[in-house]
Every structure is written in C-alpha cells, then in structure tokens.
Amino acid sequence: MQPTVRDPNPPLTRSVEDYLKVIYHLSSQGGFAATSDIAAMLEVSSPSVSGMVKRLSETGLIEHVPYRGVQLTPQGRRAALRMIRRHRILELYLTQHLGYDWGGVHAEAERLEHAVSDDLIERMASALGQPQYDPHGDPIPTAAGDIEEAELVALADARVGTKLELRQVGTQDPARLRYFAEQGLTPGVLLTVSERQPFDGPTTIAFVPSGDPRVVGRDLARLLWCQEIGS
Amino acid sequence: MQPTVRDPNPPLTRSVEDYLKVIYHLSSQGGFAATSDIAAMLEVSSPSVSGMVKRLSETGLIEHVPYRGVQLTPQGRRAALRMIRRHRILELYLTQHLGYDWGGVHAEAERLEHAVSDDLIERMASALGQPQYDPHGDPIPTAAGDIEEAELVALADARVGTKLELRQVGTQDPARLRYFAEQGLTPGVLLTVSERQPFDGPTTIAFVPSGDPRVVGRDLARLLWCQEIGS
DNA sequence: GAAACTACTTAGTCTATGCTAATTATGAGA
DNA sequence: TCTCATAATTAGCATAGACTAAGTAGTTTC
Ligand SMILES: [Mn+2]
Ligand SMILES: [Mn+2]
Ligand SMILES: [Mn+2]
Ligand SMILES: [Mn+2]
C-alpha cells in the first residue's frame, strides 16, 4: 500500500489561473504586483491573497518578496499567457461566430477560459484564421507564448495635433464598451487630436477622414490606447 | 454587523451538476439510483457519494431512502435536464461547427457544460436550428425541460426479420464510437435483422437498401438502440 | 526619532469535496 | 431463524479556497 504520493504537477485550478492572469496584468510594466491590488482585481480579501501567494510561491509559479509584492516566474508567466490566449481567442470567436457584442463577451470568456481544451482553442483559432487581436484590440499571445508589446499612448496623454490610430480599448466594462462603440471609438479608427482643455480637461478629436469632431472626457480618454501615425 | 446569512439558493457547483446528471441517467427507468452505481459512474468512492447524497437531499434536489437509493425531486430533475440540454447542444455544436468527431466530443462537453451561460447555449441552439438530437442520437431536452421518451429496442434484443432504424448509440467511449462510425452504424441508418446466434451470440444485420451484411457481437449490439419500422 | 497610518501577514474558522478505515444494515442461503 | 456477503453509512481526516479579527512591518509626518 502506497503512502499516497502527491501529484508533483497537478493541473492548475480555476482560482490559480485567475490569480496568475491578474498578477501578469499588474506586473507587466516591470514591477511587483501588490497584495491589495490583486485582492481588488479579484474581489477577494487581502488575507485570501496572502494565502494564495504562499501556495503559488511554494509551487514555483510566483516569486514573493514579503511586504513588497509578487512577480511571475517564467513558469508562471507561461501559464498566464496561455490563459490570456484562451481568453482572447474565446472573446473573438464568440463575437465573430455567435453574435456576442464586445461588451458582453468578457464575462463569458472569463468562465470558459478554464474549461476549454487546448485542442478546442486551436480549432477556434483556425476558424478565425489565426487572429492577432481580440475584439478590444488586445494582442493574442501565440501558442508558443509570445506576445506583441506595443508602444501605445493613452488618448488623454496624446499631444494636440498628432494623428493617431486607436489600437486598444482598456476596459472590460460593458457599459463603457457599448458607449465607445456608439461613438465609433473602436480599434482601427483614425483620428487627430484637435484640442485639450487645461487642468485634466477633456480632449477633442476629429475622426479621419470624415473630420467629425468628438469630445472625450479625461477618464474615458485614459482608456483609449493609440499609436501615433507617421506624417 | 450582519451575522452572515447564507444564500438560500447558491448556484450549483460542478460536482453537484455532475451528480444530478448521473442520478438522472441511473433512475430514468423509474427506479432508485444506488450509491455504488453513482460512485462507479463518477469514479469517486462510495463514502463520497453518501456525503454528497446527504447534502443534496438537505437542499431538496434529491430524495434519499437509506440503504435503498436516491431519486430526483422535481427541482433536481429540472436541474439535471438543464445540464443534459447543455451537454447535448455543446456536443452537436462542436461536431457541426468545429470539426469534432463524435468520439472525442463527449469529454469536451463534460467540462464546458458547467461553464457556459444559458445565453450562449441558446445562441448555439439557434446556430444549429433548434436541433432535436445530439450526434449520438440522444434527444435534446427543450429549454422548458421537456424531453422525448422514445420506445427503443437494443439491437441485441430485436427479433430476427424485423426492419429497424438505428436511433441512438448508447456509449461515450471514443474507441467504440469510432468503430461504429467506420461500420456505418450511425443514427438514421436502416437495417434488417437477418440472424442471431444462440447462447447470447452475435446478431447479423443487412443494411437497407444496399443489403450489405454485417455481424455485430452481443456487447456492441446492446449499445445500438433501434426503432421498429412499420411494414 | 517617535507617532500614526497603511499595507501586509498570521491565526483561526468555515464550506465543499474528496479519501480511508471502521461499522452497520439488508437480503440471500442454509 | 441464523449466518454471511455485500452494500451503505459513519467517523475521522485532508486540501483548496474563502472569510474576519488581530498583530506586525514599512512609510509618512511632524
Ligand atoms: Mn477566469
Ligand atoms: Mn478582450
Ligand atoms: Mn460535467
Ligand atoms: Mn451525446
């Protein structure tokens, strides 16, 4: 009778997968992810995060510096990017093939990402023609775990007079997403920055080529990630 | 400070949903589902089943007669049929739209059924044209919870000389399913029973209209559910 | 440099779900 | 009716993941 050896490589649980994704997003700018930020993103208590952080660092998925924060190990990063690939392919598949709108698709993908097989994800990716971006403009990591790192500027910070392409919309909030869609503010749109009010005021843009003007408040303008267009 | 009131109607967990489905299948012929049969189907231990049975009967999803077995309450039956609808629509969607074969599709649906929203299932059902049967010929319950009850006979029990339509294939085993598909034994096929060897021997059939003969061993013939065709 | 605020961790508890080992009920045969 | 095999249950324990309450470390502020 075996003394019950623990599986050294158990499959990741749903909770673990969501923690890794959140830690990836919080530490992608190079720094550490703070306990309280993780707690806020996942809507759990700080002690819950401390507990999970302990387990994740014991299994080698993250590195924990007490009172500083956590970072992903290469293994944790691979796992996180795998989940992000799943999430974004699911979002795109649901919008392209099942009529979802880009506001409602996030919640569905948030659950499905943990249940689909790699095989199903690759079938969806094929059906979509190996897409590079999800409905919100976010880059889809490759199956090998590579992800495009774009140098983008928030519309709220773009200099007046520059010409921009809207590339990513940095929110999952259905209400804001639907509003952006109504305003024509979806990835791929071209615009110029015509004016910005002082004291963190709104930004005025003009669509290219129509020239139609639009005023965008500061909070929303911070969600619109753009790329400067030469000339 | 509230003394923490428990949610009186928590969402069902993945485990609970799988238990209900299994209990539905085991008790669908009118009787009780036995603890050991539930345990075998779910590949868990008998004490685990006893424990779950206690909780499920406390929440009113099943009726438990100790040492006899369990049956679904109307509420439990509704929940089980909802899961079966999800499972079968998923199986059909994956085969029709994503190129799955009918052998591999069950495992994928077994996980996805717990993660999809009702909305997604209904979108899939629409894309499929409100289908009535899954890839294995099993009837898909309606969203309202009605399910077709067909009077079928196993090929192993069909009288020699009768003409039959193959309606359902009663296994999820990928190897057997692929074998059946190779042999042309898929739902909708017409055949006549030409011979049966004594002492639980194999059954010989002839396909209609081609007349091609085929010998089917007893164990496999018990998985092929058929309907007698008039004339 | 001490006080005070904030963020983080630790301690202790709870639920869901699984397990093994031990016990008990049921029904079939003798 | 008694015995025994089988099936089911109970007892006791483990793990994942959440929570609240309490304590501690780091950081500001005067
Ligand atoms: Mn998720
Ligand atoms: Mn997205
Ligand atoms: Mn299942
Ligand atoms: Mn099926």
Side-chain angles (χ1 to χ4, degrees), chain B residues 13 15 19 44-45 47-48 52 55 67:
Chain B
T13 64
S15 262
Y19 271 91
V44 298
S45 69
S48 298
M52 180 62 91
R55 263 172 293 150
Y67 293 96

Side-chain angles (χ1 to χ4, degrees), chain B residues 41-229:
Chain B
M41 296 259 283
L42 289 170
E43 299 184 88
V44 298
S45 69
S46 291
S48 298
V49 174
S50 280
M52 180 62 91
V53 156
K54 190 175 198 177
R55 263 172 293 150
L56 293 183
S57 52
E58 276 163 5
T59 51
L61 290 162
I62 66 175
E63 192 90 34
H64 181 211
V65 182
Y67 293 96
R68 251 282 140 66
V70 301
Q71 277 183 320
L72 296 174
T73 62
Q75 189 197 346
R77 188 184 143 88
R78 264 195 306 280
L81 284 167
R82 174 162 167 272
M83 294 313 295
I84 291 168
R85 174 171 171 81
R86 292 166 160 245
H87 185 100
R88 293 183 179 167
I89 287 176
L90 281 162
E91 284 191 340
L92 193 65
Y93 187 88
L94 293 173
T95 53
Q96 299 286 296
H97 284 77
L98 285 160
Y100 273 75
D101 74 81
W102 76 338
V105 82
H106 176 76
E108 191 81 44
E110 194 58 54
R111 279 174 285 105
L112 286 172
E113 63 190 1
H114 311 286
V116 293
S117 67
D118 286 338
D119 179 40
L120 176 50
I121 285 297
E122 297 318 318
R123 280 173 195 266
M124 287 183 174
S126 294
L128 292 163
Q130 308 299 335
Q132 300 205 258
Y133 302 98
D134 87 353
H136 313 102
D138 295 308
I140 298 174
T142 65
D146 299 311
I147 187 169
E148 176 194 303
E149 309 271 353
E151 277 290 316
L152 300 179
V153 59
L155 176 60
D157 301 325
R159 291 196 322 281
V160 170
T162 52
K163 184 176 172 190
L164 304 172
E165 177 184 348
L166 177 53
R167 292 289 300 277
Q168 297 177 15
V169 178
T171 181
Q172 328 269 21
D173 175 50
R176 287 179 175 74
L177 287 168
R178 293 199 183 104
Y179 177 77
F180 284 138
E182 277 167 26
Q183 301 291 308
L185 290 166
T186 54
V189 142
L190 302 180
L191 47 91
T192 56
V193 182
S194 21
E195 190 187 352
R196 177 164 310 104
Q197 303 287 332
F199 306 113
D200 291 332
T203 302
T204 304
I205 61 174
F207 286 106
V208 174
S210 70
D212 292 348
R214 198 76 91 235
V215 180
V216 184
R218 214 234 347 185
D219 287 354
L220 292 186
R222 287 164 62 85
L223 301 175
L224 299 173
W225 294 92
C226 305
Q227 183 172 36
E228 273 194 47
I229 303 284

